[in-house]
């Protein structure tokens, strides 16, 4: 595979950290762990538990395809209720055609993920404590693909200019872009700034497979489904995705988890984190130390994007001031920072678009900091099954609501009203009728909303 020999000396095993991985034909292998890491359409799949993570993404692909099929079916039923030839009928017809074509396009594009053998051992996956965040599907960040490779240059140029401004004239050298998404920024950095090798890494195979095709000079046709279509023709817009020119072979794509980056210690001259530090489920303090470990002494961490931490622990939702302090206390120089308000995700076919005040910083690695512990996605009492399951307060209240919810579900018989159900809950002394009516209504609203959710495309 082109680029493989260029990547090899940067790699380390995401399970045992031994570096580098060895190259066996078309894929990488850790000789110490005796684990082979497959190649997905030529992109190294360097997850700690490769088989299981491929299985997870395959399930998510099938889930997305099923949702699209259901949506198409539901829309067909709506079409039968529309006046023949009316504007609405025309719009629905076009939308159905687009959804069906989209489903086929996705299936074809993601064939390399679908055909990988599936001998995933869920236990070993758990034992490694790596698993995908449950809120990330194939369609998460789907619009970014179109922003990166079809909407024109404005947003991409603004992002590159901000990186340029903070990076200054210094060469970037070997550069890692963590959470590179559909990878336009990584490509622009590689082709327009002074880099040696650029590794663009993300864990979403749809984004990376599109990136691979376009940076090789191919065109990819995919539908965009804008949030707020401007007109009849904008509900499903067929886009041709392409890069300005093919990237050279020192632009390298890797599929892996940012919390288990498969790279050796002190490997990179630059690590860029675009729009990612506030979305991963890991404390910024740990991320900062991990990034420190990936950099050589004197290397630079460049961050770009919003700071919108949304962790249930408020203490982990850091301000800019705390972010700067965390970077500085993780073996970096005081970061140089910059704030600018930029257009964000403004599709030409949509009335919806955002402006974001992005927070950019660059900080130099001044000292080695002890590597963080390996990321654990789940606690030991789930993984080993040998420790008592803690009687968490939240579990108790969830158990209570689950009982009541399953009781409400069992009362649905196509005849009872919310009032009838509330009366039964009162007779069972579970709650008063006055309490029961809003509780049942809220629960059913949520159930109803879930049944109406679209695929996210
Ligand atoms: C907000 S998007 C930003 C994408 C890209 N950097 C951009 O600016 O368009 C966040 C990206 O992080 C990726 N991501 C989230 N968690 C990750 C993880 N643990 N490992 C690798 N990628 C991750 C997502 O797939 C997504 O592409």
């Amino acid at each position: 595979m082109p680029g493989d020999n260029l990547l090899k000396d940067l790699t380390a095993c995401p399970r045992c950290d031994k570096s580098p991985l060895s190259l066996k034909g078309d894929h990488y292998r850790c000789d110490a762990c005796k684990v082979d890491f497959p190649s997905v359409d030529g992109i190294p799949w360097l997850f700690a538990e490769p088989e299981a993570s491929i299985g997870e993404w395959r399930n998510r692909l099938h889930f997305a395809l099923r949702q699209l099929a259901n949506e198409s079916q539901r829309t067909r039923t709506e079409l039968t209720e529309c006046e023949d030839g009316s504007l609405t009928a025309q719009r629905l017809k076009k939308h159905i055609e687009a959804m069906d074509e989209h489903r086929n396009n996705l299936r074809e594009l993601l064939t390399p993920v679908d055909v990988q053998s599936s001998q995933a051992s869920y236990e070993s996956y758990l034992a490694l404590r790596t698993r995908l965040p449950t809120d990330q599907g194939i369609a998460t960040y789907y619009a970014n693909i179109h922003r990166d490779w079809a909407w024109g240059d404005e947003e991409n140029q603004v992002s590159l200019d901000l990186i340029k401004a903070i990076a200054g004239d210094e060469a970037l050298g070997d550069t890692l872009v963590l959470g590179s998404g559909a990878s336009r920024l990584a490509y622009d950095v590689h082709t327009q700034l002074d880099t040696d090798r650029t590794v663009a890494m993300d864990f979403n195979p749809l984004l990376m497979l599109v990136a691979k095709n376009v940076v090789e000079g191919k065109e990819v046709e995919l539908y965009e489904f804008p949030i707020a279509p401007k007109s009849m023709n904008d509900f499903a817009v067929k886009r041709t995705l392409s890069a300005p020119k093919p990237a050279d072979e020192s632009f390298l794509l890797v599929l892996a988890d940012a919390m288990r980056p498969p790279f050796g210690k002190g490997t990179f001259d630059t690590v860029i984190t675009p729009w990612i530090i506030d979305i991963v489920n890991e404390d910024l303090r740990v991320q900062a130390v991990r990034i420190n470990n990936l950099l050589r002494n004197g290397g630079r961490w460049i961050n770009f994007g919003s700071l919108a931490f949304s962790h249930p622990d408020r203490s982990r939702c850091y301000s800019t001031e705390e972010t700067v302090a965390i970077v500085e206390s993780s073996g970096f120089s005081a970061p140089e920072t910059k704030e600018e308000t930029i257009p964000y995700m403004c599709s030409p076919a949509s009335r919806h678009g955002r402006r974001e005040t992005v927070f950019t910083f660059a900080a130099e690695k001044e000292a080695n900091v002890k590597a963080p512990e390996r990321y654990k996605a789940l606690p030991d009492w789930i993984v080993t099954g040998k420790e008592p399951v803690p009687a968490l307060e939240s579990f108790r209240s969830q158990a209570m609501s689950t009982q009541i919810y399953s009781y409400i579900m069992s009362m649905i018989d196509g005849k009872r009203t919310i009032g009838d159900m509330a009366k039964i809950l009162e007779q069972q002394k579970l709650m008063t009728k006055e309490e029961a009516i809003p509780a049942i209504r809220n629960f059913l609203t949520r159930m109803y909303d879930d049944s109406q959710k679209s695929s996210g495309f």
Side-chain angles (χ1 to χ4, degrees):
M1 261 175 305
D4 267 346
N5 280 318
L6 284 169
L7 181 69
K8 185 173 175 292
D9 67 300
L10 303 173
T11 60
C13 174
R15 303 159 72 100
C16 71
D17 299 330
K18 186 176 169 292
S19 64
L21 294 168
S22 51
L23 197 48
K24 296 270 174 295
D26 72 341
H27 68 275
Y28 283 96
R29 176 178 169 84
C30 174
D31 295 320
C33 298
K34 300 190 176 43
V35 168
D36 291 301
F37 298 95
S39 143
V40 168
D41 202 17
I43 309 176
W45 183 275
L46 302 181
F47 290 84
E49 184 55 55
E51 290 286 353
S53 52
I54 249 179
E56 278 214 64
W57 277 112
R58 187 185 310 110
N59 288 345
R60 283 166 204 218
L61 165 65
H62 289 175
F63 180 68
L65 295 176
R66 213 166 38 240
Q67 270 190 314
L68 272 167
N70 291 345
E71 258 176 72
S72 165
Q73 192 48 48
R74 206 165 61 201
T75 315
R76 269 175 225 279
T77 311
E78 285 184 56
L79 183 59
T80 60
E81 289 153 13
C82 280
E83 190 191 323
D84 233 10
S86 66
L87 284 176
T88 305
Q90 289 172 36
R91 173 170 61 78
L92 294 187
K93 238 177 162 169
K94 209 174 151 233
H95 210 123
I96 292 166
E97 280 164 21
M99 280 192 279
D100 292 347
E101 200 179 322
H102 184 53
R103 210 168 70 237
N104 288 333
N105 291 341
L106 280 184
R107 192 180 289 126
E108 197 176 321
L109 194 60
L110 284 153
T111 303
V113 173
D114 212 13
V115 297
Q116 291 286 334
S117 76
S118 166
Q119 277 123 37
S121 146
Y122 194 63
E123 280 66 35
S124 75
Y125 199 31
L126 281 180
L128 284 156
R129 280 110 166 146
T130 67
R131 60 167 199 163
L132 287 176
T134 46
D135 59 352
Q136 297 275 330
I138 283 285
T140 320
Y141 305 114
Y142 177 69
N144 292 35
I145 293 177
H146 296 279
R147 188 270 320 267
D148 281 10
W149 305 112
W151 291 349
D153 280 341
E154 189 193 350
E155 285 189 37
N156 299 321
Q157 189 61 49
V158 170
S159 304
L160 180 67
D161 288 347
L162 279 168
I163 300 284
K164 253 189 207 165
I166 205 88
D169 294 333
E170 224 177 289
L172 298 182
D174 281 337
T175 299
L176 170 65
V177 183
L178 278 175
S180 58
S183 298
R184 176 60 186 263
L185 182 69
Y187 164 92
D188 282 342
V189 164
H190 184 71
T191 53
Q192 296 187 49
L193 305 189
D194 187 2
T195 53
D196 293 334
R197 290 170 286 188
T198 301
V199 180
M201 195 202 97
D202 202 280
F203 68 4
N204 183 319
L206 172 59
L207 306 181
M208 293 301 267
L209 285 166
V210 169
K212 173 169 188 287
N213 277 286
V214 296
V215 303
E216 283 178 352
K218 296 179 191 139
E219 290 188 340
V220 178
E221 285 202 337
L222 276 180
Y223 275 95
E224 179 198 343
F225 299 92
I227 299 177
K230 281 186 177 158
S231 74
M232 284 274 286
N233 290 328
D234 293 326
F235 280 75
V237 186
K238 196 189 265 188
R239 300 261 184 225
T240 302
L241 310 157
S242 64
K245 60 175 186 195
D248 64 28
E249 61 170 28
S250 52
F251 184 71
L252 304 159
L253 296 169
V254 169
L255 275 153
D257 187 339
M259 294 192 258
R260 292 273 188 129
F263 305 109
K265 257 188 164 193
T267 302
F268 291 100
D269 302 299
T270 307
V271 173
I272 303 180
T273 48
W275 299 90
I276 181 158
I277 57 171
D278 54 344
I279 64 145
V280 297
N281 185 25
E282 185 175 57
D283 196 322
L284 180 61
R285 290 175 189 283
V286 184
Q287 294 184 60
V289 173
R290 184 167 293 123
I291 289 164
N292 173 295
N293 274 260
L294 288 167
L295 284 165
R296 64 158 176 82
N297 276 328
R300 278 189 301 168
W301 175 9
I302 295 178
N303 181 67
F304 163 67
S306 73
L307 281 190
F309 294 96
S310 72
H311 195 269
D313 297 342
R314 277 184 192 283
S315 59
R316 279 179 49 176
C317 300
Y318 299 112
S319 61
T320 48
E321 294 84 346
E322 290 162 284
T323 300
V324 166
I326 289 170
V327 174
E328 218 177 327
S329 66
S330 309
F332 291 94
S333 63
E336 182 190 337
T337 66
K338 213 170 170 21
E339 302 218 21
E340 196 143 328
T341 305
I342 61 168
Y344 186 68
M345 304 308 294
C346 301
S347 164
S350 180
R351 296 170 187 284
H352 174 274
R354 285 155 56 187
R355 289 186 72 71
E356 291 256 357
T357 301
V358 289
F359 182 62
T360 310
F361 67 73
E364 191 173 312
K365 173 169 167 177
E366 290 182 336
N368 289 323
V369 175
K370 191 170 169 288
E373 277 196 13
R374 290 217 178 87
Y375 175 70
K376 286 186 182 183
L378 292 167
D380 281 348
W381 53 266
I382 292 185
V383 175
T384 65
K386 290 186 180 135
E387 292 175 22
V389 179
L392 302 177
E393 192 47 50
S394 60
F395 283 5
R396 281 205 201 100
S397 62
Q398 276 171 35
M400 184 73 169
S401 4
T402 308
Q403 266 172 21
I404 296 183
Y405 292 154
S406 66
Y407 194 53
I408 296 173
M409 295 297 290
S410 73
M411 287 191 289
I412 300 175
D413 61 359
K415 296 185 195 107
R416 289 193 182 101
T417 64
I418 290 180
D420 298 334
M421 294 183 189
K423 217 183 278 169
I424 298 175
L425 285 186
E426 189 171 55
Q427 282 159 4
Q428 299 292 322
K429 301 204 175 1
L430 288 167
M431 50 177 84
T432 66
K433 196 172 168 202
E434 287 66 38
E435 288 168 335
I437 287 179
I440 298 172
R441 183 172 285 122
N442 281 344
F443 172 66
L444 292 177
T445 306
R446 224 173 331 124
M447 298 272 299
Y448 178 72
D449 282 347
D450 281 352
S451 74
Q452 303 294 305
K453 275 203 182 118
S454 77
S455 60
F457 285 106

